[in-house]
Amino acid sequence: MQSKWFSALLVIACVALLSGIGFASACPSGYMTTYLAPGFSCGIDDKTFSNFIYTSTSSPPGYEIQAGSVGVTPITTPGNPGFQWNAPWMASTLSGVQGRDSFFEFQVNSSGAPITDVSLSIGGFGTTGTGSITVDETVCLGAVFPACSGGTTKTLEVYANSGGFKAYDEVSFAGVTEVDVEKDVLIDAGTNGSATLSLVTNQFSEGSTPEPASILLFGSGALALAGVLRRKLNH
């Protein structure tokens, strides 16, 4: 009888111990300041996100997008988790803010299904004149930056300017359990123009992801948004 009680207690103790190991708390909606806390990590399904870095510069200095102004919304789509960042990225020659730059870095680890696809998209964007938006992303597959030693790098890019826009990009690859991400968001007014951007989205799927219809809607509205911006800037 005692051995049965001992076995039951041992099982309960093991379950209690395992429940506190290897499981990050759910990724919260909020601002980048939360994600930049020392040792912070969070989870969406079987993916753990950690080692967040964020910096910003502006031209002229003094107009940087601070971490407390960058909203973070976790994307909890099964098999395709990620984040959407929201911030007032804007530059225009009339306002005197020539450009803004935001740099993000973070790590993704999977304890379950391997990651086989990374997607990058923008929404709520518009440009006039020489204004431009460029989001460049490099991912290290199977290792971490800065060297990505033993891993493989892939690049993604989305943009909008006077020549057109590309609001969605993705790369597919053989499955890995670790992805390190470096992303640069650049908003530039150029010599005579403006650019605005509201949303940047990253997702990490367990299979190739079709281009979402919402991205097409964002793109089709870009010209209309540009017209509104032009009227506002000319008044």
Side-chain angles (χ1 to χ4, degrees), residues 115-119 141 154 156 170-175 205 207-209:
I115 301 165
T116 60
D117 185 276
V118 176
S119 65
L141 309 175
K154 299 283 186 179
L156 302 92
E170 72 170 326
V171 291
S172 297
F173 40 85
S205 77
S208 182
T209 314

Side-chain angles (χ1 to χ4, degrees), residues 8 25 33 63 81 87-88 90 95 108 110 149 180 191 193 197 224 230-231:
S25 58
T33 45
Y63 296 92
M90 181 278 292
S95 71
V108 189
S110 177
S149 179
D180 206 20
T191 57
L197 173 65
R230 186 179 295 110
R231 288 193 296 273

Side-chain angles (χ1 to χ4, degrees), residues 46-169:
D46 59 358
K47 307 295 186 291
T48 299
F49 299 83
S50 61
N51 298 328
F52 288 86
I53 295 173
Y54 174 80
T55 59
S56 179
T57 59
S58 69
S59 177
Y63 296 92
E64 298 84 2
I65 304 293
Q66 302 297 331
S69 297
V70 181
V72 185
T73 302
I75 298 172
T76 58
T77 304
N80 193 23
F83 294 100
Q84 185 172 86
W85 291 273
N86 175 276
W89 288 291
M90 181 278 292
S92 75
T93 51
L94 290 180
S95 71
V97 181
Q98 191 64 30
R100 284 186 165 108
D101 190 293
S102 292
F103 175 81
F104 297 80
E105 184 175 351
F106 59 95
Q107 185 176 333
V108 189
N109 291 89
S110 177
S111 61
I115 301 165
T116 60
D117 185 276
V118 176
S119 65
L120 171 69
S121 62
I122 54 175
F125 61 88
T127 64
T128 65
T130 56
S132 66
I133 300 163
T134 306
V135 182
D136 288 317
E137 181 167 293
T138 303
V139 294
C140 173
L141 309 175
V144 296
F145 291 118
C148 195
S149 179
T152 303
T153 60
K154 299 283 186 179
T155 59
L156 302 92
E157 183 182 64
V158 291
Y159 61 85
N161 53 46
S162 60
F165 64 87
K166 179 182 179 182
Y168 180 86
D169 198 9

